[in-house]
Amino acid sequence: MMLEPIVFVARLVLSIFAFLFLMRFVLQAVHADFYNSISSAIVRFTNPVLRVVRQVLPTYRNFDLASFSATLIAYTLADLIRIFSGGEIETIDWWKLIRFELYQTLDLLVSIFLFAIFISIALSWLVQFGIIHGSRSPATTLLNQICEPVLRPAKKLLPPVSMIDLSPMITIVILWIIQRWLLPGLLL
């Protein structure tokens, strides 16, 4: 009982690290502007750990394998803390644990894209209706850089009709299918 708050805080910190490492992976994969203040903050925060991991896992094309692996490691450590604090050491199925950590990482990756698209849609409506003026903040620029590579195939398939762009809806449905059916079916 006394370890529960410590376990909670440790798992929370590791989950935040996992999110930041995966954001670093996404930023590099979509060729985001690293001079953006948000991007540079993520880079500065994750760089000490990733510099060490990059000595073992280099970048492949625009996929930062070190940050993706650091996400997996952070999730694995968080779940091992939970398992060891519960006294379930003898019952660890390592293959199942690895598959679950990969599922968690890919699920978070899809969630990042889904949230970025939803926030981008909401911001575009707020600008369109005059609730906010302009959309040149670092956060908006970063959101557009994250969303554009994912939305591009849907925009080619279905170009905007007058003032309505349906590509986010198509992309959201595809990402939702991947998140709800494909990933659990393959990894759980």
Side-chain angles (χ1 to χ4, degrees), residues 29 44 54 60 63 71 75 88 91 96 99 103 105 111 116 124-126 145 157 165 177 184 186:
R44 278 194 308 259
R54 277 201 184 95
Y60 176 73
F63 295 112
T71 304
Y75 271 140
E88 305 169 22
T91 62
K96 187 176 181 179
R99 283 192 344 240
Y103 167 77
T105 303
S111 294
S124 72
W125 287 346
L126 293 174
Q145 290 173 347
L157 181 68
D165 184 11
I177 289 170
L186 290 175

Side-chain angles (χ1 to χ4, degrees), residues 72-105:
L72 283 170
I73 291 167
Y75 271 140
T76 303
L77 289 175
D79 285 336
L80 285 175
I81 287 172
R82 180 187 51 82
I83 289 169
F84 289 150
S85 69
E88 305 169 22
I89 300 169
E90 297 85 23
T91 62
I92 296 177
D93 182 1
W94 290 100
W95 178 244
K96 187 176 181 179
L97 181 68
I98 291 169
R99 283 192 344 240
F100 181 70
E101 305 312 333
L102 185 59
Y103 167 77
Q104 272 188 305
T105 303

